[in-house]
Amino acid sequence: MQWFTSIGKTLKLDRIVNIAKDSLWQANCPLCKRPADGILCKDCDRQIAAYQAPEFLQKDNPISPEIPLYSWGIYDGALKRAIAACKYDNHPEIMEAIAKKIADTWTRSTDARTFTQNIKKISVIPIPLHDNKLRSRGFNQAEILARRFCDLTALPCHPQLLQRVKDTKAQMQTKSIKEREQNLSKAFTIPSAQVSQQANSRSVILFDDIYTTGATIREAIATLAASKMTVRGVIVIARPQFKSQ
Ligand SMILES: [Zn+2]
């Protein structure tokens, strides 16, 4: 009897170890909760890929003719849901999967290759979150994106350079263009120590998750310009198909 009990205990323990191993090494897809080999399951990955924009470089130059906007996808459907699941359901790993897609597209894009060849010493800077939001969310999705993108493209990432000093409202909650501009006015700053560290690298690529009105990006460009840093391009995951400007 003693022997059977002992075997039973051993088997049970093995099973527990296996379940623990499975949950550690084979995390389920954060979007559909089914088993996945990578971060996302193949099905969700395919659904997101369906929202890749036909053109990476946005030909309508929504920021300015001098500052190209690269948008990987269309902010809708499965891609929009994935970004929301990352930010509001605490799945930062989704940004890692999306950053890989953006890096692949960037590496294959002739426009992007020519762009980096023509600019020496470029820094990639994610749009920062205010400390309050960073504390409540636990991570900055734009920083995860930028870091992973830089790992894959060998571009230098400087997530500490720009800081958000104003706890702004979500732009969606503002009612007019004037309110939107006031909401973001002086939202960013650059600590003086960071300015001197960047003395050799005055060219910047900004990274953000979504491009809507462009107000956040314009404010960041103005803050960097005040420290004699030039934004040469902006990369985002997605923008809505119908521009809201
Ligand atoms: Zn899935």
Side-chain angles (χ1 to χ4, degrees), residues 39-77:
I39 293 169
L40 304 171
C41 74
K42 285 197 174 68
D43 196 29
C44 289
D45 194 72
R46 242 192 323 267
Q47 285 183 45
I48 289 172
Y51 284 86
Q52 180 169 4
E55 299 279 355
F56 187 33
L57 175 63
Q58 303 297 291
K59 304 284 187 206
D60 60 332
N61 292 318
I63 305 167
S64 76
E66 295 77 35
I67 305 177
L69 173 70
Y70 295 88
S71 175
W72 182 84
I74 294 157
Y75 186 58
D76 206 352

PDB file of all heavy atoms in Angstrom, residues 39-77:
ATOM      1  N   ILE A  39       4.970  34.246 -30.100  1.00  0.00           N
ATOM      2  CA  ILE A  39       4.207  35.079 -29.167  1.00  0.00           C
ATOM      3  C   ILE A  39       2.723  34.995 -29.520  1.00  0.00           C
ATOM      4  O   ILE A  39       1.871  34.813 -28.663  1.00  0.00           O
ATOM      5  CB  ILE A  39       4.724  36.544 -29.211  1.00  0.00           C
ATOM      6  CG1 ILE A  39       6.153  36.608 -28.651  1.00  0.00           C
ATOM      7  CG2 ILE A  39       3.795  37.471 -28.438  1.00  0.00           C
ATOM      8  CD1 ILE A  39       6.872  37.916 -28.865  1.00  0.00           C
ATOM      9  N   LEU A  40       2.434  35.112 -30.812  1.00  0.00           N
ATOM     10  CA  LEU A  40       1.051  35.020 -31.273  1.00  0.00           C
ATOM     11  C   LEU A  40       0.839  33.681 -31.976  1.00  0.00           C
ATOM     12  O   LEU A  40       1.793  33.112 -32.516  1.00  0.00           O
ATOM     13  CB  LEU A  40       0.758  36.150 -32.278  1.00  0.00           C
ATOM     14  CG  LEU A  40       1.003  37.578 -31.799  1.00  0.00           C
ATOM     15  CD1 LEU A  40       0.882  38.541 -32.965  1.00  0.00           C
ATOM     16  CD2 LEU A  40       0.018  37.969 -30.711  1.00  0.00           C
ATOM     17  N   CYS A  41      -0.411  33.195 -31.988  1.00  0.00           N
ATOM     18  CA  CYS A  41      -0.680  31.963 -32.745  1.00  0.00           C
ATOM     19  C   CYS A  41      -0.694  32.318 -34.235  1.00  0.00           C
ATOM     20  O   CYS A  41      -0.825  33.495 -34.600  1.00  0.00           O
ATOM     21  CB  CYS A  41      -2.000  31.339 -32.308  1.00  0.00           C
ATOM     22  SG  CYS A  41      -3.439  32.230 -32.900  1.00  0.00           S
ATOM     23  N   LYS A  42      -0.593  31.301 -35.070  1.00  0.00           N
ATOM     24  CA  LYS A  42      -0.517  31.542 -36.521  1.00  0.00           C
ATOM     25  C   LYS A  42      -1.757  32.255 -37.039  1.00  0.00           C
ATOM     26  O   LYS A  42      -1.674  33.112 -37.905  1.00  0.00           O
ATOM     27  CB  LYS A  42      -0.329  30.210 -37.256  1.00  0.00           C
ATOM     28  CG  LYS A  42       1.076  29.669 -37.121  1.00  0.00           C
ATOM     29  CD  LYS A  42       1.354  28.590 -38.169  1.00  0.00           C
ATOM     30  CE  LYS A  42       2.794  28.146 -38.144  1.00  0.00           C
ATOM     31  NZ  LYS A  42       3.155  27.422 -36.914  1.00  0.00           N
ATOM     32  N   ASP A  43      -2.910  31.898 -36.467  1.00  0.00           N
ATOM     33  CA  ASP A  43      -4.168  32.463 -36.934  1.00  0.00           C
ATOM     34  C   ASP A  43      -4.232  33.975 -36.640  1.00  0.00           C
ATOM     35  O   ASP A  43      -4.538  34.773 -37.526  1.00  0.00           O
ATOM     36  CB  ASP A  43      -5.313  31.710 -36.234  1.00  0.00           C
ATOM     37  CG  ASP A  43      -6.628  31.953 -36.924  1.00  0.00           C
ATOM     38  OD1 ASP A  43      -6.607  32.188 -38.152  1.00  0.00           O
ATOM     39  OD2 ASP A  43      -7.672  31.923 -36.238  1.00  0.00           O
ATOM     40  N   CYS A  44      -3.907  34.369 -35.395  1.00  0.00           N
ATOM     41  CA  CYS A  44      -3.931  35.794 -35.031  1.00  0.00           C
ATOM     42  C   CYS A  44      -2.861  36.554 -35.809  1.00  0.00           C
ATOM     43  O   CYS A  44      -3.081  37.685 -36.243  1.00  0.00           O
ATOM     44  CB  CYS A  44      -3.736  35.972 -33.527  1.00  0.00           C
ATOM     45  SG  CYS A  44      -5.172  35.440 -32.583  1.00  0.00           S
ATOM     46  N   ASP A  45      -1.703  35.908 -35.992  1.00  0.00           N
ATOM     47  CA  ASP A  45      -0.617  36.527 -36.737  1.00  0.00           C
ATOM     48  C   ASP A  45      -1.080  36.851 -38.174  1.00  0.00           C
ATOM     49  O   ASP A  45      -0.829  37.933 -38.686  1.00  0.00           O
ATOM     50  CB  ASP A  45       0.582  35.579 -36.759  1.00  0.00           C
ATOM     51  CG  ASP A  45       1.835  36.284 -37.213  1.00  0.00           C
ATOM     52  OD1 ASP A  45       2.348  37.097 -36.427  1.00  0.00           O
ATOM     53  OD2 ASP A  45       2.268  36.049 -38.356  1.00  0.00           O
ATOM     54  N   ARG A  46      -1.789  35.883 -38.775  1.00  0.00           N
ATOM     55  CA  ARG A  46      -2.317  36.075 -40.144  1.00  0.00           C
ATOM     56  C   ARG A  46      -3.339  37.204 -40.170  1.00  0.00           C
ATOM     57  O   ARG A  46      -3.338  38.026 -41.080  1.00  0.00           O
ATOM     58  CB  ARG A  46      -2.983  34.779 -40.614  1.00  0.00           C
ATOM     59  CG  ARG A  46      -2.315  34.184 -41.841  1.00  0.00           C
ATOM     60  CD  ARG A  46      -3.121  33.075 -42.471  1.00  0.00           C
ATOM     61  NE  ARG A  46      -3.821  32.204 -41.536  1.00  0.00           N
ATOM     62  CZ  ARG A  46      -3.338  31.058 -41.055  1.00  0.00           C
ATOM     63  NH1 ARG A  46      -2.147  30.647 -41.437  1.00  0.00           N
ATOM     64  NH2 ARG A  46      -4.037  30.323 -40.224  1.00  0.00           N
ATOM     65  N   GLN A  47      -4.185  37.231 -39.144  1.00  0.00           N
ATOM     66  CA  GLN A  47      -5.221  38.281 -39.109  1.00  0.00           C
ATOM     67  C   GLN A  47      -4.592  39.669 -38.993  1.00  0.00           C
ATOM     68  O   GLN A  47      -5.062  40.627 -39.593  1.00  0.00           O
ATOM     69  CB  GLN A  47      -6.152  38.043 -37.921  1.00  0.00           C
ATOM     70  CG  GLN A  47      -7.113  36.893 -38.155  1.00  0.00           C
ATOM     71  CD  GLN A  47      -8.061  36.735 -36.987  1.00  0.00           C
ATOM     72  OE1 GLN A  47      -8.613  37.695 -36.467  1.00  0.00           O
ATOM     73  NE2 GLN A  47      -8.242  35.501 -36.547  1.00  0.00           N
ATOM     74  N   ILE A  48      -3.514  39.766 -38.210  1.00  0.00           N
ATOM     75  CA  ILE A  48      -2.819  41.055 -38.066  1.00  0.00           C
ATOM     76  C   ILE A  48      -2.137  41.424 -39.383  1.00  0.00           C
ATOM     77  O   ILE A  48      -2.209  42.564 -39.839  1.00  0.00           O
ATOM     78  CB  ILE A  48      -1.812  41.005 -36.897  1.00  0.00           C
ATOM     79  CG1 ILE A  48      -2.580  40.968 -35.571  1.00  0.00           C
ATOM     80  CG2 ILE A  48      -0.840  42.188 -36.930  1.00  0.00           C
ATOM     81  CD1 ILE A  48      -1.725  40.734 -34.349  1.00  0.00           C
ATOM     82  N   ALA A  49      -1.504  40.432 -39.999  1.00  0.00           N
ATOM     83  CA  ALA A  49      -0.791  40.681 -41.268  1.00  0.00           C
ATOM     84  C   ALA A  49      -1.736  41.211 -42.348  1.00  0.00           C
ATOM     85  O   ALA A  49      -1.314  41.954 -43.240  1.00  0.00           O
ATOM     86  CB  ALA A  49      -0.099  39.404 -41.740  1.00  0.00           C
ATOM     87  N   ALA A  50      -3.031  40.858 -42.242  1.00  0.00           N
ATOM     88  CA  ALA A  50      -4.010  41.326 -43.233  1.00  0.00           C
ATOM     89  C   ALA A  50      -4.193  42.846 -43.151  1.00  0.00           C
ATOM     90  O   ALA A  50      -4.722  43.460 -44.084  1.00  0.00           O
ATOM     91  CB  ALA A  50      -5.346  40.621 -43.012  1.00  0.00           C
ATOM     92  N   TYR A  51      -3.770  43.450 -42.031  1.00  0.00           N
ATOM     93  CA  TYR A  51      -3.906  44.906 -41.892  1.00  0.00           C
ATOM     94  C   TYR A  51      -2.614  45.654 -42.193  1.00  0.00           C
ATOM     95  O   TYR A  51      -2.489  46.827 -41.861  1.00  0.00           O
ATOM     96  CB  TYR A  51      -4.468  45.258 -40.497  1.00  0.00           C
ATOM     97  CG  TYR A  51      -5.942  44.962 -40.458  1.00  0.00           C
ATOM     98  CD1 TYR A  51      -6.400  43.689 -40.138  1.00  0.00           C
ATOM     99  CD2 TYR A  51      -6.870  45.923 -40.853  1.00  0.00           C
ATOM    100  CE1 TYR A  51      -7.750  43.387 -40.172  1.00  0.00           C
ATOM    101  CE2 TYR A  51      -8.213  45.630 -40.895  1.00  0.00           C
ATOM    102  CZ  TYR A  51      -8.649  44.360 -40.552  1.00  0.00           C
ATOM    103  OH  TYR A  51      -9.989  44.081 -40.611  1.00  0.00           O
ATOM    104  N   GLN A  52      -1.661  44.968 -42.802  1.00  0.00           N
ATOM    105  CA  GLN A  52      -0.444  45.667 -43.236  1.00  0.00           C
ATOM    106  C   GLN A  52      -0.836  46.635 -44.364  1.00  0.00           C
ATOM    107  O   GLN A  52      -1.588  46.255 -45.274  1.00  0.00           O
ATOM    108  CB  GLN A  52       0.612  44.674 -43.741  1.00  0.00           C
ATOM    109  CG  GLN A  52       1.874  45.380 -44.183  1.00  0.00           C
ATOM    110  CD  GLN A  52       3.043  44.441 -44.436  1.00  0.00           C
ATOM    111  OE1 GLN A  52       2.901  43.225 -44.357  1.00  0.00           O
ATOM    112  NE2 GLN A  52       4.179  45.007 -44.746  1.00  0.00           N
ATOM    113  N   ALA A  53      -0.342  47.875 -44.277  1.00  0.00           N
ATOM    114  CA  ALA A  53      -0.690  48.884 -45.291  1.00  0.00           C
ATOM    115  C   ALA A  53       0.003  48.554 -46.607  1.00  0.00           C
ATOM    116  O   ALA A  53       1.101  47.996 -46.597  1.00  0.00           O
ATOM    117  CB  ALA A  53      -0.260  50.263 -44.805  1.00  0.00           C
ATOM    118  N   PRO A  54      -0.623  48.895 -47.744  1.00  0.00           N
ATOM    119  CA  PRO A  54       0.029  48.619 -49.035  1.00  0.00           C
ATOM    120  C   PRO A  54       1.368  49.347 -49.178  1.00  0.00           C
ATOM    121  O   PRO A  54       2.275  48.857 -49.815  1.00  0.00           O
ATOM    122  CB  PRO A  54      -0.993  49.086 -50.080  1.00  0.00           C
ATOM    123  CG  PRO A  54      -2.088  49.760 -49.347  1.00  0.00           C
ATOM    124  CD  PRO A  54      -1.950  49.481 -47.891  1.00  0.00           C
ATOM    125  N   GLU A  55       1.468  50.539 -48.586  1.00  0.00           N
ATOM    126  CA  GLU A  55       2.716  51.321 -48.654  1.00  0.00           C
ATOM    127  C   GLU A  55       3.200  51.608 -47.243  1.00  0.00           C
ATOM    128  O   GLU A  55       2.424  52.077 -46.406  1.00  0.00           O
ATOM    129  CB  GLU A  55       2.465  52.666 -49.353  1.00  0.00           C
ATOM    130  CG  GLU A  55       1.977  52.556 -50.780  1.00  0.00           C
ATOM    131  CD  GLU A  55       3.099  52.309 -51.776  1.00  0.00           C
ATOM    132  OE1 GLU A  55       4.274  52.321 -51.367  1.00  0.00           O
ATOM    133  OE2 GLU A  55       2.776  52.098 -52.962  1.00  0.00           O
ATOM    134  N   PHE A  56       4.491  51.355 -46.986  1.00  0.00           N
ATOM    135  CA  PHE A  56       5.093  51.644 -45.678  1.00  0.00           C
ATOM    136  C   PHE A  56       5.325  53.161 -45.552  1.00  0.00           C
ATOM    137  O   PHE A  56       4.888  53.802 -44.608  1.00  0.00           O
ATOM    138  CB  PHE A  56       6.396  50.854 -45.575  1.00  0.00           C
ATOM    139  CG  PHE A  56       7.084  50.887 -44.237  1.00  0.00           C
ATOM    140  CD1 PHE A  56       6.379  50.959 -43.052  1.00  0.00           C
ATOM    141  CD2 PHE A  56       8.469  50.808 -44.175  1.00  0.00           C
ATOM    142  CE1 PHE A  56       7.026  50.964 -41.819  1.00  0.00           C
ATOM    143  CE2 PHE A  56       9.126  50.818 -42.959  1.00  0.00           C
ATOM    144  CZ  PHE A  56       8.403  50.900 -41.787  1.00  0.00           C
ATOM    145  N   LEU A  57       5.969  53.745 -46.562  1.00  0.00           N
ATOM    146  CA  LEU A  57       6.195  55.199 -46.584  1.00  0.00           C
ATOM    147  C   LEU A  57       4.886  55.872 -46.991  1.00  0.00           C
ATOM    148  O   LEU A  57       4.322  55.564 -48.043  1.00  0.00           O
ATOM    149  CB  LEU A  57       7.304  55.539 -47.583  1.00  0.00           C
ATOM    150  CG  LEU A  57       7.587  57.026 -47.820  1.00  0.00           C
ATOM    151  CD1 LEU A  57       8.072  57.721 -46.557  1.00  0.00           C
ATOM    152  CD2 LEU A  57       8.609  57.205 -48.940  1.00  0.00           C
ATOM    153  N   GLN A  58       4.407  56.773 -46.149  1.00  0.00           N
ATOM    154  CA  GLN A  58       3.115  57.419 -46.404  1.00  0.00           C
ATOM    155  C   GLN A  58       3.297  58.562 -47.399  1.00  0.00           C
ATOM    156  O   GLN A  58       3.895  59.590 -47.083  1.00  0.00           O
ATOM    157  CB  GLN A  58       2.512  57.913 -45.081  1.00  0.00           C
ATOM    158  CG  GLN A  58       2.346  56.797 -44.056  1.00  0.00           C
ATOM    159  CD  GLN A  58       1.379  55.717 -44.507  1.00  0.00           C
ATOM    160  OE1 GLN A  58       0.178  55.957 -44.604  1.00  0.00           O
ATOM    161  NE2 GLN A  58       1.888  54.517 -44.805  1.00  0.00           N
ATOM    162  N   LYS A  59       2.767  58.331 -48.600  1.00  0.00           N
ATOM    163  CA  LYS A  59       3.023  59.252 -49.708  1.00  0.00           C
ATOM    164  C   LYS A  59       2.369  60.624 -49.526  1.00  0.00           C
ATOM    165  O   LYS A  59       2.736  61.566 -50.199  1.00  0.00           O
ATOM    166  CB  LYS A  59       2.539  58.636 -51.032  1.00  0.00           C
ATOM    167  CG  LYS A  59       3.144  57.274 -51.346  1.00  0.00           C
ATOM    168  CD  LYS A  59       4.583  57.371 -51.825  1.00  0.00           C
ATOM    169  CE  LYS A  59       5.075  56.011 -52.285  1.00  0.00           C
ATOM    170  NZ  LYS A  59       6.521  55.839 -52.192  1.00  0.00           N
ATOM    171  N   ASP A  60       1.372  60.721 -48.638  1.00  0.00           N
ATOM    172  CA  ASP A  60       0.702  62.021 -48.475  1.00  0.00           C
ATOM    173  C   ASP A  60       1.447  62.947 -47.509  1.00  0.00           C
ATOM    174  O   ASP A  60       0.994  64.064 -47.254  1.00  0.00           O
ATOM    175  CB  ASP A  60      -0.747  61.819 -47.993  1.00  0.00           C
ATOM    176  CG  ASP A  60      -0.812  61.099 -46.650  1.00  0.00           C
ATOM    177  OD1 ASP A  60       0.104  60.315 -46.331  1.00  0.00           O
ATOM    178  OD2 ASP A  60      -1.790  61.329 -45.908  1.00  0.00           O
ATOM    179  N   ASN A  61       2.586  62.506 -46.984  1.00  0.00           N
ATOM    180  CA  ASN A  61       3.399  63.334 -46.066  1.00  0.00           C
ATOM    181  C   ASN A  61       2.571  64.063 -45.011  1.00  0.00           C
ATOM    182  O   ASN A  61       2.526  65.298 -44.995  1.00  0.00           O
ATOM    183  CB  ASN A  61       4.209  64.372 -46.852  1.00  0.00           C
ATOM    184  CG  ASN A  61       5.277  63.727 -47.690  1.00  0.00           C
ATOM    185  OD1 ASN A  61       5.947  62.805 -47.244  1.00  0.00           O
ATOM    186  ND2 ASN A  61       5.419  64.188 -48.930  1.00  0.00           N
ATOM    187  N   PRO A  62       1.894  63.346 -44.124  1.00  0.00           N
ATOM    188  CA  PRO A  62       1.000  64.046 -43.181  1.00  0.00           C
ATOM    189  C   PRO A  62       1.732  64.934 -42.182  1.00  0.00           C
ATOM    190  O   PRO A  62       1.123  65.851 -41.628  1.00  0.00           O
ATOM    191  CB  PRO A  62       0.291  62.898 -42.459  1.00  0.00           C
ATOM    192  CG  PRO A  62       1.197  61.724 -42.617  1.00  0.00           C
ATOM    193  CD  PRO A  62       1.880  61.893 -43.930  1.00  0.00           C
ATOM    194  N   ILE A  63       3.040  64.682 -41.933  1.00  0.00           N
ATOM    195  CA  ILE A  63       3.765  65.530 -40.971  1.00  0.00           C
ATOM    196  C   ILE A  63       4.292  66.763 -41.706  1.00  0.00           C
ATOM    197  O   ILE A  63       3.909  67.887 -41.402  1.00  0.00           O
ATOM    198  CB  ILE A  63       4.915  64.750 -40.283  1.00  0.00           C
ATOM    199  CG1 ILE A  63       4.367  63.479 -39.622  1.00  0.00           C
ATOM    200  CG2 ILE A  63       5.627  65.631 -39.259  1.00  0.00           C
ATOM    201  CD1 ILE A  63       5.417  62.488 -39.197  1.00  0.00           C
ATOM    202  N   SER A  64       5.151  66.521 -42.687  1.00  0.00           N
ATOM    203  CA  SER A  64       5.649  67.601 -43.552  1.00  0.00           C
ATOM    204  C   SER A  64       6.411  66.929 -44.690  1.00  0.00           C
ATOM    205  O   SER A  64       6.807  65.765 -44.562  1.00  0.00           O
ATOM    206  CB  SER A  64       6.585  68.540 -42.781  1.00  0.00           C
ATOM    207  OG  SER A  64       7.842  67.914 -42.610  1.00  0.00           O
ATOM    208  N   PRO A  65       6.654  67.646 -45.785  1.00  0.00           N
ATOM    209  CA  PRO A  65       7.376  67.013 -46.896  1.00  0.00           C
ATOM    210  C   PRO A  65       8.800  66.592 -46.496  1.00  0.00           C
ATOM    211  O   PRO A  65       9.366  65.677 -47.070  1.00  0.00           O
ATOM    212  CB  PRO A  65       7.423  68.112 -47.969  1.00  0.00           C
ATOM    213  CG  PRO A  65       6.348  69.067 -47.591  1.00  0.00           C
ATOM    214  CD  PRO A  65       6.200  69.003 -46.101  1.00  0.00           C
ATOM    215  N   GLU A  66       9.353  67.267 -45.469  1.00  0.00           N
ATOM    216  CA  GLU A  66      10.736  66.959 -45.049  1.00  0.00           C
ATOM    217  C   GLU A  66      10.802  65.775 -44.083  1.00  0.00           C
ATOM    218  O   GLU A  66      11.867  65.191 -43.892  1.00  0.00           O
ATOM    219  CB  GLU A  66      11.386  68.162 -44.346  1.00  0.00           C
ATOM    220  CG  GLU A  66      11.606  69.386 -45.212  1.00  0.00           C
ATOM    221  CD  GLU A  66      10.324  70.167 -45.440  1.00  0.00           C
ATOM    222  OE1 GLU A  66       9.490  70.208 -44.512  1.00  0.00           O
ATOM    223  OE2 GLU A  66      10.139  70.704 -46.547  1.00  0.00           O
ATOM    224  N   ILE A  67       9.695  65.482 -43.425  1.00  0.00           N
ATOM    225  CA  ILE A  67       9.728  64.420 -42.400  1.00  0.00           C
ATOM    226  C   ILE A  67       8.837  63.249 -42.834  1.00  0.00           C
ATOM    227  O   ILE A  67       7.613  63.306 -42.695  1.00  0.00           O
ATOM    228  CB  ILE A  67       9.288  64.958 -41.014  1.00  0.00           C
ATOM    229  CG1 ILE A  67      10.160  66.172 -40.627  1.00  0.00           C
ATOM    230  CG2 ILE A  67       9.379  63.853 -39.948  1.00  0.00           C
ATOM    231  CD1 ILE A  67       9.786  66.836 -39.330  1.00  0.00           C
ATOM    232  N   PRO A  68       9.455  62.196 -43.392  1.00  0.00           N
ATOM    233  CA  PRO A  68       8.642  61.071 -43.848  1.00  0.00           C
ATOM    234  C   PRO A  68       7.995  60.319 -42.698  1.00  0.00           C
ATOM    235  O   PRO A  68       8.594  60.171 -41.624  1.00  0.00           O
ATOM    236  CB  PRO A  68       9.655  60.175 -44.582  1.00  0.00           C
ATOM    237  CG  PRO A  68      10.988  60.571 -44.055  1.00  0.00           C
ATOM    238  CD  PRO A  68      10.890  62.009 -43.642  1.00  0.00           C
ATOM    239  N   LEU A  69       6.759  59.873 -42.923  1.00  0.00           N
ATOM    240  CA  LEU A  69       6.079  59.019 -41.948  1.00  0.00           C
ATOM    241  C   LEU A  69       6.029  57.599 -42.524  1.00  0.00           C
ATOM    242  O   LEU A  69       5.565  57.398 -43.648  1.00  0.00           O
ATOM    243  CB  LEU A  69       4.655  59.512 -41.683  1.00  0.00           C
ATOM    244  CG  LEU A  69       3.793  58.582 -40.791  1.00  0.00           C
ATOM    245  CD1 LEU A  69       4.284  58.570 -39.340  1.00  0.00           C
ATOM    246  CD2 LEU A  69       2.317  58.997 -40.822  1.00  0.00           C
ATOM    247  N   TYR A  70       6.537  56.651 -41.740  1.00  0.00           N
ATOM    248  CA  TYR A  70       6.449  55.239 -42.108  1.00  0.00           C
ATOM    249  C   TYR A  70       5.398  54.602 -41.199  1.00  0.00           C
ATOM    250  O   TYR A  70       5.552  54.619 -39.984  1.00  0.00           O
ATOM    251  CB  TYR A  70       7.795  54.533 -41.906  1.00  0.00           C
ATOM    252  CG  TYR A  70       8.880  55.043 -42.826  1.00  0.00           C
ATOM    253  CD1 TYR A  70       9.671  56.130 -42.459  1.00  0.00           C
ATOM    254  CD2 TYR A  70       9.107  54.442 -44.064  1.00  0.00           C
ATOM    255  CE1 TYR A  70      10.667  56.611 -43.310  1.00  0.00           C
ATOM    256  CE2 TYR A  70      10.094  54.913 -44.914  1.00  0.00           C
ATOM    257  CZ  TYR A  70      10.868  55.993 -44.527  1.00  0.00           C
ATOM    258  OH  TYR A  70      11.843  56.466 -45.377  1.00  0.00           O
ATOM    259  N   SER A  71       4.346  54.085 -41.803  1.00  0.00           N
ATOM    260  CA  SER A  71       3.303  53.435 -41.007  1.00  0.00           C
ATOM    261  C   SER A  71       3.144  52.002 -41.513  1.00  0.00           C
ATOM    262  O   SER A  71       2.814  51.782 -42.677  1.00  0.00           O
ATOM    263  CB  SER A  71       1.984  54.195 -41.140  1.00  0.00           C
ATOM    264  OG  SER A  71       0.961  53.489 -40.466  1.00  0.00           O
ATOM    265  N   TRP A  72       3.388  51.030 -40.602  1.00  0.00           N
ATOM    266  CA  TRP A  72       3.380  49.635 -41.034  1.00  0.00           C
ATOM    267  C   TRP A  72       1.988  49.176 -41.458  1.00  0.00           C
ATOM    268  O   TRP A  72       1.828  48.448 -42.419  1.00  0.00           O
ATOM    269  CB  TRP A  72       3.908  48.719 -39.907  1.00  0.00           C
ATOM    270  CG  TRP A  72       3.952  47.293 -40.322  1.00  0.00           C
ATOM    271  CD1 TRP A  72       4.948  46.690 -41.018  1.00  0.00           C
ATOM    272  CD2 TRP A  72       2.933  46.307 -40.132  1.00  0.00           C
ATOM    273  NE1 TRP A  72       4.621  45.378 -41.265  1.00  0.00           N
ATOM    274  CE2 TRP A  72       3.387  45.122 -40.725  1.00  0.00           C
ATOM    275  CE3 TRP A  72       1.674  46.316 -39.505  1.00  0.00           C
ATOM    276  CZ2 TRP A  72       2.634  43.945 -40.730  1.00  0.00           C
ATOM    277  CZ3 TRP A  72       0.921  45.153 -39.500  1.00  0.00           C
ATOM    278  CH2 TRP A  72       1.411  43.982 -40.113  1.00  0.00           C
ATOM    279  N   GLY A  73       0.978  49.609 -40.694  1.00  0.00           N
ATOM    280  CA  GLY A  73      -0.346  49.038 -40.952  1.00  0.00           C
ATOM    281  C   GLY A  73      -1.474  50.039 -40.914  1.00  0.00           C
ATOM    282  O   GLY A  73      -1.282  51.242 -40.743  1.00  0.00           O
ATOM    283  N   ILE A  74      -2.672  49.493 -41.082  1.00  0.00           N
ATOM    284  CA  ILE A  74      -3.897  50.287 -41.015  1.00  0.00           C
ATOM    285  C   ILE A  74      -4.506  50.055 -39.631  1.00  0.00           C
ATOM    286  O   ILE A  74      -4.670  48.905 -39.205  1.00  0.00           O
ATOM    287  CB  ILE A  74      -4.870  49.865 -42.137  1.00  0.00           C
ATOM    288  CG1 ILE A  74      -4.249  50.222 -43.496  1.00  0.00           C
ATOM    289  CG2 ILE A  74      -6.238  50.527 -41.976  1.00  0.00           C
ATOM    290  CD1 ILE A  74      -4.784  49.433 -44.646  1.00  0.00           C
ATOM    291  N   TYR A  75      -4.812  51.152 -38.947  1.00  0.00           N
ATOM    292  CA  TYR A  75      -5.315  51.059 -37.570  1.00  0.00           C
ATOM    293  C   TYR A  75      -6.779  50.635 -37.589  1.00  0.00           C
ATOM    294  O   TYR A  75      -7.694  51.468 -37.596  1.00  0.00           O
ATOM    295  CB  TYR A  75      -5.126  52.412 -36.877  1.00  0.00           C
ATOM    296  CG  TYR A  75      -5.481  52.397 -35.411  1.00  0.00           C
ATOM    297  CD1 TYR A  75      -4.853  51.527 -34.540  1.00  0.00           C
ATOM    298  CD2 TYR A  75      -6.443  53.272 -34.893  1.00  0.00           C
ATOM    299  CE1 TYR A  75      -5.176  51.512 -33.192  1.00  0.00           C
ATOM    300  CE2 TYR A  75      -6.767  53.268 -33.555  1.00  0.00           C
ATOM    301  CZ  TYR A  75      -6.135  52.375 -32.709  1.00  0.00           C
ATOM    302  OH  TYR A  75      -6.458  52.364 -31.372  1.00  0.00           O
ATOM    303  N   ASP A  76      -6.986  49.349 -37.637  1.00  0.00           N
ATOM    304  CA  ASP A  76      -8.336  48.803 -37.732  1.00  0.00           C
ATOM    305  C   ASP A  76      -8.280  47.300 -37.432  1.00  0.00           C
ATOM    306  O   ASP A  76      -7.193  46.714 -37.377  1.00  0.00           O
ATOM    307  CB  ASP A  76      -8.884  49.038 -39.163  1.00  0.00           C
ATOM    308  CG  ASP A  76     -10.414  49.103 -39.187  1.00  0.00           C
ATOM    309  OD1 ASP A  76     -11.030  48.813 -38.152  1.00  0.00           O
ATOM    310  OD2 ASP A  76     -10.977  49.441 -40.242  1.00  0.00           O
ATOM    311  N   GLY A  77      -9.434  46.710 -37.255  1.00  0.00           N
ATOM    312  CA  GLY A  77      -9.580  45.257 -37.159  1.00  0.00           C
ATOM    313  C   GLY A  77      -8.640  44.592 -36.167  1.00  0.00           C
ATOM    314  O   GLY A  77      -8.461  45.064 -35.035  1.00  0.00           O
TER     315      GLY A  77
END
